[in-house]
């Protein structure tokens, strides 16, 4: 295999960003096959210890087909990709990307707003005839904070707040940080936690009690509960992106600068955001802001399913997709956030740890920080 020069971050990002934009558009257009193809190529690029500086560097690498190769070749030769440049000028793509950046806005809503002639968030917020969900109102109200990355010290501070409150409710409860932060990343879009307790009877009302305490202390900016639907689950889902059946809540919490150990939340002068649909005559005040709105997901997991939930919620998205594909096609089993089902034996396989799940699949254990690509 031809090896390129040492990694040049700027050059490597140019290739990744181009494929990322195209993959995102495939996802917008619900072209699952093309999205997965491009996503796998991106994952390979991210894992390389060298820069792709000529086409020969792709020899022997997996996940690069004719289309991804053609795009990389064009960038290496011309410095840009014509498809990407065209897409970046496309009004529909720009509107979809902008609108879906709002918490609570999905593709269908984004497309609806686009068809109605909206092109900016300000146009949407000031529209008199639009109705917004509670989630979307929060998304607009805390837009800037939510779209700024959450850093690891902030995630740790949020975790300490929630853990303290949970222990007030149930002393033997455990809180586990998942997602990209468990994979060793230093920043992310939100913070995900799994909650578990040896005594399942103590789960009753636990999330509601914890959220009530957060609210009473002035820390709760938004909350949406999803009750458990475990009785609906029979076999593991064949759909990778299917929502699991655990009890959970989606929060926006108010994190004070003083609670972040590295002092990373700097106070700044900011304009108070006008809620959607309020007229231009509404007074917009400027005040010093020494807190940040942080997106948090809390998930209640029964002890016997904790290992499977931990594996699923840790990610990454592409790692989980390929692990479940391997489980299905190579082992004739089914894996999701709830369990592992052996289709040959027609039984669920038990596991108390992630290591035991990998052992069932005859795979060497892969550490969380090795699952990013």
């Amino acid at each position: 295999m031809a090896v390129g020069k040492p990694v040049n971050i700027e050059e490597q990002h140019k290739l990744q960003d181009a494929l990322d934009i195209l993959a995102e558009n495939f996802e917008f257009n619900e072209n699952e096959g093309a999205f997965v193809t491009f996503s796998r190529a991106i994952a390979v690029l991210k894992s390389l210890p060298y820069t792709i500086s000529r086409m020969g560097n792709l020899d022997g690498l997996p996940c690069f087909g004719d289309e991804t190769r053609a795009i990389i070749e064009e960038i290496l030769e011309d410095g840009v990709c014509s498809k990407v440049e065209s897409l970046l000028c496309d009004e529909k793509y720009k509107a979809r990307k902008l609108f879906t950046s709002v918490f609570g806005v999905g593709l269908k809503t984004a497309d609806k707003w686009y068809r109605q002639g909206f092109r900016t968030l300000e146009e949407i917020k000031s529209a008199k005839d639009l109705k917004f969900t509670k989630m979307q109102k929060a998304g607009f109200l805390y837009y800037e904070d939510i779209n700024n990355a959450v850093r690891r010290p902030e995630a740790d501070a949020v975790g300490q707040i929630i853990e303290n409150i949970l222990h007030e409710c149930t002393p033997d409860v455990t809180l586990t940080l998942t997602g990209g932060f468990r994979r060793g990343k230093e920043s992310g879009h939100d913070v995900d936690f799994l909650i578990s307790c040896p005594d399942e009877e103590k789960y009753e009302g636990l999330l509601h009690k914890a959220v009530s305490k957060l609210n009473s202390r002035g820390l709760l900016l938004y909350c949406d509960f999803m009750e458990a639907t475990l009785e609906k689950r029979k076999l593991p889902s064949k759909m990778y992106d299917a929502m699991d059946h655990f009890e959970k809540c989606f929060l926006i919490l108010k994190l004070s600068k003083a609670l972040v150990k590295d002092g990373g939340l700097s106070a700044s002068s900011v304009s108070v955001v006008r809620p959607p649909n309020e007229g231009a005559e509404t007074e917009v005040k400027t005040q010093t802001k020494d807190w940040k709105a942080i997106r948090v997901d809390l998930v209640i997991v029964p002890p016997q399913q904790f290992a499977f939930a931990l594996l699923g919620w840790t990610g990454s998205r592409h790692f989980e997709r390929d692990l479940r594909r391997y489980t299905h096609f190579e082992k004739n089993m089914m894996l999701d956030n709830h369990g592992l089902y052996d289709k040959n034996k027609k039984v669920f396989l038990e596991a108390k740890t992630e290591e035991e799940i990998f052992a069932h699949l005859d795979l060497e254990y892969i550490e969380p920080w090795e699952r990013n690509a």
Side-chain angles (χ1 to χ4, degrees):
M1 178 179 67
V3 177
K5 58 187 177 181
V7 173
N8 180 308
I9 299 299
E10 185 176 344
E11 289 182 14
Q12 200 76 331
H13 278 178
K14 183 184 292 186
L15 298 179
Q16 292 173 21
D17 291 346
L19 296 182
D20 259 327
I21 290 168
L22 294 169
E24 181 179 48
N25 194 53
F26 284 132
E27 189 171 29
F28 284 156
N29 291 324
E30 299 181 333
N31 186 338
E32 181 71 9
F35 169 72
V36 172
T37 296
F38 273 67
S39 297
R40 285 180 174 147
I42 294 164
V44 173
L45 282 179
K46 289 179 178 178
S47 70
L48 294 178
Y50 56 86
T51 300
I52 299 296
S53 56
R54 56 192 179 87
M55 291 304 293
N57 298 147
L58 296 177
D59 292 346
L61 294 178
C63 303
F64 289 97
D66 292 341
E67 194 170 2
T68 50
R69 283 175 172 270
I71 289 162
I72 290 173
E73 184 173 20
E74 184 179 1
I75 294 174
L76 291 178
E77 290 181 356
D78 303 333
V80 295
C81 170
S82 56
K83 288 184 178 179
V84 172
E85 294 301 300
S86 175
L87 198 55
L88 291 175
C89 296
D90 183 77
E91 277 201 345
K92 187 172 185 179
Y93 168 79
K94 291 191 291 184
R96 283 173 153 183
K97 187 174 180 65
L98 177 63
F99 297 161
T100 56
S101 70
V102 178
F103 177 56
V105 177
L107 186 58
K108 288 183 179 179
T109 299
D111 283 347
K112 178 182 176 182
W113 289 345
Y114 176 79
R115 290 193 302 270
Q116 291 174 325
F118 298 109
R119 296 295 181 267
T120 70
L121 296 182
E122 287 305 318
E123 290 174 349
I124 290 171
K125 286 191 290 184
S126 60
K128 298 293 185 181
D129 56 342
L130 287 183
K131 296 186 181 298
F132 302 102
T133 66
K134 178 184 174 185
M135 185 179 289
Q136 290 164 359
K137 288 178 180 179
F140 281 115
L141 197 56
Y142 307 112
Y143 181 82
E144 184 175 348
D145 279 358
I146 292 175
N147 282 276
N148 281 331
V150 181
R151 298 177 305 103
R152 182 58 190 250
E154 294 166 354
D156 291 339
V158 169
Q160 191 62 61
I161 292 171
I162 295 173
E163 187 172 49
N164 290 343
I165 283 180
L166 286 171
H167 283 166
E168 291 177 17
C169 303
T170 305
D172 53 352
V173 73
T174 61
L175 184 74
T176 304
L177 180 64
T178 64
F181 291 113
R182 185 168 183 254
R183 302 197 308 272
K185 291 200 167 187
E186 290 301 314
S187 64
H189 299 296
D190 59 8
V191 194
D192 303 324
F193 295 100
L194 299 187
I195 299 170
S196 189
C197 183
D199 184 356
E200 289 190 51
E201 291 185 0
K202 295 182 179 179
Y203 285 157
E204 186 68 32
L206 178 59
L207 271 186
H208 289 272
K209 292 175 187 175
V211 170
S212 178
K213 287 180 178 290
L214 288 168
N215 188 41
S216 67
R217 294 172 195 185
L219 302 177
L220 185 66
L221 299 174
Y222 170 83
C223 177
D224 183 27
F225 285 99
M226 289 187 66
E227 300 301 329
T229 54
L230 290 170
E231 72 282 354
K232 295 182 179 180
R233 177 186 174 270
K234 301 267 191 295
L235 294 176
S237 173
K238 294 180 181 179
M239 299 292 294
Y240 163 71
D241 288 321
M243 181 69 77
D244 58 43
H245 295 277
F246 301 122
E247 180 184 1
K248 57 180 70 71
C249 63
F250 308 113
L251 310 175
I252 300 177
L253 297 184
K254 185 176 183 179
L255 179 62
S256 168
K257 166 192 171 183
L259 298 178
V260 182
K261 287 187 177 179
D262 69 351
L265 281 177
S266 56
S268 58
S269 295
V270 295
S271 296
V272 177
V273 180
R274 185 186 303 116
N277 295 341
E278 289 198 4
E281 69 277 2
T282 302
E283 182 181 3
V284 179
K285 299 179 181 179
T286 299
Q287 64 182 23
T288 299
K289 179 172 176 285
D290 61 354
W291 56 270
K292 180 178 179 180
I294 305 285
R295 275 271 300 107
V296 180
D297 294 343
L298 300 179
V299 186
I300 294 271
V301 183
Q304 66 272 18
Q305 295 176 311
F306 183 80
F308 302 101
L310 182 61
L311 177 60
W313 276 84
T314 295
S316 67
R317 182 179 184 182
H318 305 304
F319 174 83
E320 294 296 329
R321 186 190 301 276
D322 284 349
L323 180 63
R324 296 182 188 190
R325 186 174 183 274
Y326 166 85
T327 301
H328 175 68
F329 289 104
E330 301 297 330
K331 306 302 293 182
N332 199 31
M333 297 180 183
M334 300 170 70
L335 173 69
D336 67 3
N337 286 13
H338 307 89
L340 176 63
Y341 183 76
D342 188 322
K343 292 194 284 185
N344 292 323
K345 299 178 181 178
K346 293 183 171 50
V347 295
F348 283 95
L349 304 178
E350 295 184 2
K352 294 182 179 180
T353 64
E354 288 181 309
E355 287 86 347
E356 290 181 14
I357 299 174
F358 280 83
H360 283 313
L361 298 174
D362 297 320
L363 292 174
E364 182 179 343
Y365 179 66
I366 299 175
E367 297 286 357
W369 52 87
E370 296 177 324
R371 305 177 199 171
N372 283 310

